[in-house]
DNA sequence: ATCAGGGCTCACGCCGCGTCAGGGTCAAGC
DNA sequence: GCTTGACCCTGACGCGGCGTGAGCCCTGAT
């Protein structure tokens, strides 16, 4: 039967020795056995329990509650986990809200300090990446996540000049779409779909790979739903976000059909 | 020059008197003046600073850092906020990771334990449940329907103790709103909107997800229109239903604007 | 035999307040 | 002017989850 000392356990689990002492004092995690010298020795089972404890601790549940949960039989455990999930979810969304608030504040402050036109592209700034990531994963699931990772990689490998070039292209696309909207061209018209091909290619470059049709359409949806994109489009022209979203949907549908 | 006592400030900002004392002790928020009797009197400027403090507190800055940030000129402020943004982002993504882990664990466990759903509903009046559902779907359309489904899911995962805890929280919210109404606080006041944040969070838990601003406001409307809710509120205090509805509308508008 | 590198048990410190206790002050109604 | 009750003050302790010593013992390799 394998036994581990405090320090070993601490290193394996990534906690401090003091923490183990503390948990022992509380009765939350007792050693498998205690030597005649007072040394604590932990076994496999204790390690597993510690894992559980740490999981629950991440959820910021008080240690006392954790003890109750872990000592309860299986059924209650499932219930507890579900509740924890809810807490986690609401906390995650709270963080997203906070980030949004922060971004707004930052935007204000930056306007005060310098009215650079970099501001206009803040939607694409690296600091936004994390948020988009969250956003996409929330609604897009796993496949979106990989798209984002790829995108981050691709962005990283771009230099400043590349970025500016990308932005110039983007302005071309956006401008053409705005004109198309003004002219009342239907989203599935040949002209608009031609612009979409350019947009698709542009995304492919910035993502570092070809977007799946569904991802492309999903991105259109994000243009609609995400406040930053929305603001950007609305600022340019009323209804442009919707127009983009529909056009991208149509493009995706065409790809799926053909 | 308008002056406010501790209690008034506390109620307006939704914090405790003790907190104000504490902030004074720390030098984080000093009163505009102190009377010969030692009473603290705050002015408009202090209220604004307090708002800032609370904003930063939401971001879980240590109070000391908040003081630094608020006392620092613009540039440092931006830097500090940006650093904090990163912390938040990484925390948010950590939560998403945890949620995934939890979901996986739950999926496994649920296959093992097969539970008795009906048991979980005890304490509710099932026929009422159905009625509310119909009502909401009737007026709320599809999005309400999905809200309801989510809510049922979330409810399922609650045990009796949870339900009681939820109800206790609800009574706190309702009570505070009643007091606010009695005090004649405007629905868009900071204090009332603070209560609304709690209500919003409460709804988020019972629905199992964050309500969209429109859904939240819509729910306020239902408080007005549905006889059961009306009766509940009117029984507590005359005009409370209207007060709630207005406050919720204001909260939703603020969210849409911000 | 030495000595580094563990182990152990107290016990105080930190943060952001909540929560008494004990006492002064104010406005209103009698 | 006196009571009442709501408010104000200061001071001090408590909590949770450990970090961080201090001071002492144990073990294994040299």
């Amino acid at each position: 039967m394998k036994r581990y000392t405090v320090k070993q356990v601490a290193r394996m689990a990534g906690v401090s020795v003091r923490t183990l002492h503390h948990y022992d004092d509380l009765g939350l995690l007792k050693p498998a056995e205690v030597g005649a010298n007072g040394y604590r020795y932990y076994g496999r089972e204790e390690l597993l329990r510690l894992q559980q404890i740490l999981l629950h601790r991440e959820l910021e549940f008080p240690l006392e509650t954790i003890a109750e949960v872990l000592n309860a039989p299986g059924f209650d455990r499932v219930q507890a986990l579900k509740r924890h999930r809810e807490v986690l979810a609401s906390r995650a969304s709270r963080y997203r809200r906070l980030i949004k608030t922060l971004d707004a504040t930052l935007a204000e402050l930056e306007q005060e300090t310098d009215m650079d036109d970099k501001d206009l592209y803040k939607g694409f700034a690296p600091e936004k990446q994390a948020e988009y990531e969250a956003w996409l994963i929330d609604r897009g699931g796993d496949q979106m996540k990989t798209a984002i990772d790829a995108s981050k990689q691709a962005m990283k490998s771009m230099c400043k000049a590349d970025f500016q070039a990308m932005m110039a292209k983007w302005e071309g696309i956006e401008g053409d779409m705005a004109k198309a909207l003004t002219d009342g061209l239907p989203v599935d018209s040949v002209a608009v779909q031609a612009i979409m091909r350019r947009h698709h290619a542009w995304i492919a470059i910035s993502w570092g790979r070809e977007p799946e049709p569904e991802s492309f359409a999903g991105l259109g949806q994000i243009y609609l739903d995400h406040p930053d994109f929305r603001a950007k489009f609305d600022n340019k022209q009323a209804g442009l976000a919707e127009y983009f979203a529909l056009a991208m949907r149509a493009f995706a549908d065409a790809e799926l059909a053909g």
Side-chain angles (χ1 to χ4, degrees), chain A:
Chain A
M1 191 75 92
K2 195 107 212 285
R3 302 269 103 142
Y4 306 90
T5 68
V6 265
K7 183 143 207 188
Q8 289 170 331
V9 173
R11 275 221 340 271
M12 284 187 282
V15 301
S16 73
V17 171
R18 177 70 177 90
T19 300
L20 294 177
H21 284 176
H22 190 50
Y23 291 173
D24 188 5
D25 292 347
L26 297 183
L28 179 54
L29 180 70
K30 290 282 186 193
E33 49 181 312
V34 180
N37 48 17
Y39 281 26
R40 294 167 176 85
Y41 297 105
Y42 298 86
R44 173 141 215 86
E45 202 173 331
E46 285 71 32
L47 284 180
L48 291 176
R49 187 176 166 96
L50 180 53
Q51 295 256 15
Q52 289 283 316
I53 293 172
L54 295 182
L55 183 80
H56 288 78
R57 192 182 66 168
E58 290 255 24
L59 311 184
E60 290 176 35
F61 278 72
L63 295 183
E64 204 182 320
T65 307
I66 297 181
E68 285 168 18
V69 169
L70 291 190
N71 295 334
F75 175 75
D76 291 348
R77 216 132 110 192
V78 173
Q79 298 302 326
L81 286 179
K82 283 195 173 180
R83 270 176 284 150
H84 291 194
R85 208 209 100 102
E86 297 303 321
V87 173
L88 265 191
S90 84
R91 216 171 275 167
S93 81
R94 172 163 172 276
Y95 277 124
R96 262 175 273 134
R97 235 193 48 233
L98 290 175
I99 289 175
K100 249 167 52 183
T101 312
L102 249 183
D103 283 341
T105 312
L106 276 169
E108 270 182 40
L109 285 175
E110 283 187 344
Q111 267 191 341
E112 280 175 19
T113 52
D114 61 33
M115 290 249 290
D116 218 24
D117 58 355
K118 275 180 190 168
D119 232 16
L120 297 173
Y121 300 119
K122 71 174 186 234
F124 295 96
E127 62 193 33
K128 289 284 182 176
Q129 289 288 335
E131 182 182 347
Y132 292 144
E133 205 175 319
W135 190 276
L136 287 163
I137 292 166
D138 255 16
R139 9 186 77 238
D142 268 341
Q143 83 199 72
M144 273 294 185
K145 168 78 173 117
T146 60
I148 292 299
D149 287 342
S151 167
K152 280 169 82 172
Q153 274 308 105
M155 287 280 196
K156 247 185 213 163
S157 65
M158 283 201 280
C159 69
K160 201 167 178 180
D162 287 336
F163 187 69
Q164 285 176 350
M166 286 292 289
M167 282 306 149
K169 262 191 202 163
W170 164 252
E171 286 198 337
I173 293 167
E174 194 187 33
D176 289 347
M177 280 295 279
K179 211 175 337 170
L181 171 56
T182 311
D183 293 344
L185 297 182
V187 293
D188 55 356
S189 66
V190 177
V192 171
Q193 288 302 304
I195 305 176
M196 280 302 104
R197 259 205 304 285
R198 282 159 58 205
H199 187 33
H200 188 266
W202 189 82
I203 294 293
I205 293 177
S206 80
W207 281 18
R209 63 174 188 77
E210 294 258 308
E212 301 297 318
E214 271 313 326
S215 302
F216 189 64
L219 186 59
Q221 191 60 39
I222 289 168
Y223 287 173
L224 266 183
D225 291 343
H226 195 289
D228 282 346
F229 282 109
R230 259 227 94 91
K232 195 162 153 44
F233 285 115
D234 285 347
N235 193 272
K236 176 94 177 178
Q237 186 168 342
L240 190 54
E242 284 83 355
Y243 195 57
F244 252 97
L246 286 172
M248 290 168 81
R249 180 77 254 173
F251 185 84
D253 287 343
E255 277 216 322
L256 286 172

